[in-house]
Amino acid sequence: MAFNVPAKSFVAISDLHPNTAHPNIVGVIIGKTDVKGFPDRKNIGSERYTFSFTIKDCPDHFINVSSWGREDYIRALSESFRIGDCVVIENPLVVTKDTEKEERYSPSTPSFYRLLVSENHSTVRRCSDIEADAMLLSLLHLPIKDPQDYYSLGDIVANGQSLDGKVINILAAVRSIGEPKYFTTADRRKGQRCEVKLFDETVSSFLLICWDNEAIQLVQTWIPRETVLFLADVRISFDSFRNSMIATVISKTIITTNPDTKEANLLFSYVREFVEFGGLDEQEEQTGDQVNLDSIVDVYTVQQVKLRAQENLDRSDPIFGITFAFITALNLDSSISKLIRNRCAWCKFAINEESNTCVNVACSGSGKPVDVITTFDLLVGLTDHTGTLQSCNLSGNVAEKTLGCTVDDFVCLAESQKTSLKWRFLLERCKIYLKILPSPNSRTGLRVNVLSCTLADPEEVSQSLPVLGMWSSQWFGICMLS
């Protein structure tokens, strides 16, 4: 094996043996745990610290490494490298592993051994970018399990609670990444949690939870709607609060980012086509639950929204914001066909009414009769003293929450009741959460989705828009009459 590191005799992981004298190993880190402390049995009242990692030097061979010692030493060693780094391990102790005990909490490896790194006898150093070998880095894209040995998200949902507590492999794409949340436990230990939503051809949203700081740092390198993952040995469980199955990254888990496999490449092609066709945006418009409203804090006037959108034309990422505006268009008393639309139950795209087939070419049900859901599909106008946003999308669950009724309830309303419902909002100032995307094909050049709409609290309006203290509904009434 040839590596672009200083001339030194490296031992391949496959050649390691307890009798190997002063071995030096080079490889890439494919997994790593957080530092943990345990009571020291030999020194009552003190703690010993440990962490472990997994190193790989060729497609078929990798081995677990652990280190025990003083807190300062263990934390410094752990912080010196991350998942994805190439490292050289000098003079570790090679010991025979207890397979049953070892692989209960650590990644399953093909080696009969494991490595111990000690403060007095061993060193671990990170290779520089120049030293890191391209072949080693390419190993990051090779799963540690058979690339065909995985569950689709649809398989997990279909099996339901029969998989509760099982450890399995998953191939899926990243849909969205939540903000890490930090907390302190009852025994004063600090913890963290990060939620990632996955999707594939079979399921539009599936929750993955990370508790380890090392895993959360890896998550921050992923790109939503672009990254594909092979998750080896994640735990599946039933979440009674969400009433759904979820996956959790555990100490056994090894995550391969953007795997170089046929199966992953097929999923990536699907993801790219689905995203380019607007599939995820359609789903988010209908569900309204993909964005944490608490994370949206910027307040804009209508004019500022338009200016921000103009500045963002060359970027695909959306703008999120809050506006306090009057609803100036809300035609709830139009014909039902203009207010309600039949959509594919899976991808949320509109269907061809004549053939009852999904029009989304990236949908697994494309061209075939599909299950249909009926949703609101409203266009609203939003106006303040700086201008108007026309044809903003108010649809799906967001529309139902705003109006306070389901599609079925709305269809049963008398015309007078629909008119009354309309005037609850029309010409009223509302607090509106928006998602704005550039849209070259639209007349305004913008695609504006309403994420939440409620009648505004006058006190909050005055605090959020202090410069508008003299602007009121009286001004608006004069404007409407002119």
Side-chain angles (χ1 to χ4, degrees), residues 34-45:
D34 284 357
V35 171
K36 291 181 173 59
F38 296 90
D40 189 339
R41 296 178 181 176
K42 295 181 179 179
N43 299 292
I44 305 301

Side-chain angles (χ1 to χ4, degrees), residues 13-14 56-63 109-111 139 142-144:
I13 290 174
S14 59
K56 189 173 189 176
D57 71 350
C58 70
D60 298 321
H61 294 281
F62 47 98
I63 193 169
T109 69
S111 176
L139 300 178
L142 298 180
I144 66 167

Side-chain angles (χ1 to χ4, degrees), residues 110-409:
S111 176
F112 294 112
Y113 311 106
R114 61 189 178 95
L115 302 180
L116 295 178
V117 171
S118 66
E119 180 176 6
N120 295 328
H121 301 97
S122 315
T123 61
V124 180
R125 67 173 180 85
R126 187 166 64 90
C127 300
S128 67
D129 292 340
I130 296 176
E131 292 176 313
D133 191 278
M135 192 211 78
L136 282 178
L137 294 175
S138 70
L139 300 178
L140 291 170
H141 303 290
L142 298 180
I144 66 167
K145 299 290 185 74
D146 181 344
Q148 296 181 332
D149 178 19
Y150 67 88
Y151 280 74
S152 71
L153 301 179
D155 293 335
I156 299 171
V157 173
N159 280 277
Q161 295 190 47
S162 65
L163 288 177
D164 188 32
K166 298 291 178 63
V167 175
I168 65 171
N169 309 324
I170 298 175
L171 178 67
V174 177
R175 176 170 184 144
S176 63
I177 299 172
E179 290 292 326
K181 297 180 180 179
Y182 300 93
F183 57 88
T184 302
T185 62
D187 59 355
R188 299 183 180 179
R189 293 180 184 270
K190 295 187 180 300
Q192 57 283 313
R193 171 190 171 100
C194 182
E195 295 186 356
V196 179
K197 290 184 178 177
L198 308 175
F199 75 105
D200 65 7
E201 305 99 319
T202 61
V203 168
S204 60
S205 184
F206 188 92
L207 187 62
L208 172 71
I209 297 179
C210 302
W211 295 97
D212 241 21
N213 188 52
E214 292 292 338
I216 292 173
Q217 289 190 52
L218 178 63
V219 165
Q220 305 312 308
T221 67
W222 301 340
I223 303 175
R225 305 182 176 206
E226 293 184 21
T227 300
V228 172
L229 307 173
F230 188 98
L231 301 125
D233 292 333
V234 290
R235 177 174 288 122
I236 300 298
S237 58
F238 178 74
D239 187 319
S240 56
F241 176 76
R242 295 179 176 83
N243 194 34
S244 63
M245 305 303 293
I246 64 171
T248 303
V249 174
I250 58 177
S251 56
K252 282 180 61 66
T253 305
I254 296 290
I255 302 174
T256 303
T257 304
N258 292 329
D260 186 12
T261 66
K262 176 183 176 182
E263 295 76 15
N265 289 334
L266 288 172
L267 177 57
F268 179 77
S269 297
Y270 164 81
V271 168
R272 183 172 55 190
E273 185 176 11
F274 190 53
V275 170
E276 288 177 355
F277 202 69
L280 291 182
D281 292 326
E282 287 280 348
Q283 291 174 345
E284 289 177 8
E285 282 177 33
Q286 299 308 309
T287 59
D289 61 358
Q290 299 298 322
V291 180
N292 179 8
L293 297 183
D294 291 337
S295 68
I296 303 175
V297 295
D298 295 326
V299 178
Y300 300 108
T301 64
V302 167
Q303 184 182 45
Q304 289 171 333
V305 167
K306 293 178 178 180
L307 289 174
R308 279 294 313 276
Q310 286 295 319
E311 296 168 356
N312 215 50
L313 283 178
D314 296 332
R315 301 176 60 183
S316 60
D317 53 317
I319 299 167
F320 295 96
I322 301 169
T323 190
F324 292 91
F326 290 92
I327 294 183
T328 50
L330 180 63
N331 297 323
L332 293 182
D333 40 13
S334 298
S335 64
I336 289 294
S337 62
K338 294 182 179 180
L339 306 175
I340 293 173
R341 181 173 295 185
N342 290 326
R343 295 180 177 273
C344 171
W346 187 83
C347 73
K348 306 301 186 294
F349 264 61
I351 66 166
N352 184 312
E353 298 288 353
E354 294 182 1
S355 61
N356 198 43
T357 57
C358 182
V359 299
N360 176 13
V361 295
C363 178
S364 56
S366 178
K368 299 179 290 187
V370 294
D371 292 333
V372 172
I373 58 173
T374 304
T375 67
F376 282 113
D377 197 20
L378 311 176
L379 295 176
V380 300
L382 307 177
T383 299
D384 69 6
H385 67 300
T386 67
T388 298
L389 290 171
Q390 298 177 337
S391 301
C392 302
N393 299 293
L394 175 62
S395 55
N397 294 345
V398 177
E400 291 189 353
K401 292 176 182 177
T402 300
L403 300 177
C405 67
T406 65
V407 171
D408 291 339
D409 293 335

Side-chain angles (χ1 to χ4, degrees), residues 5-24:
V5 291
K8 190 175 285 190
S9 178
F10 292 113
V11 179
I13 290 174
S14 59
D15 294 335
L16 287 171
H17 187 274
N19 294 331
T20 306
H22 307 292
N24 297 315

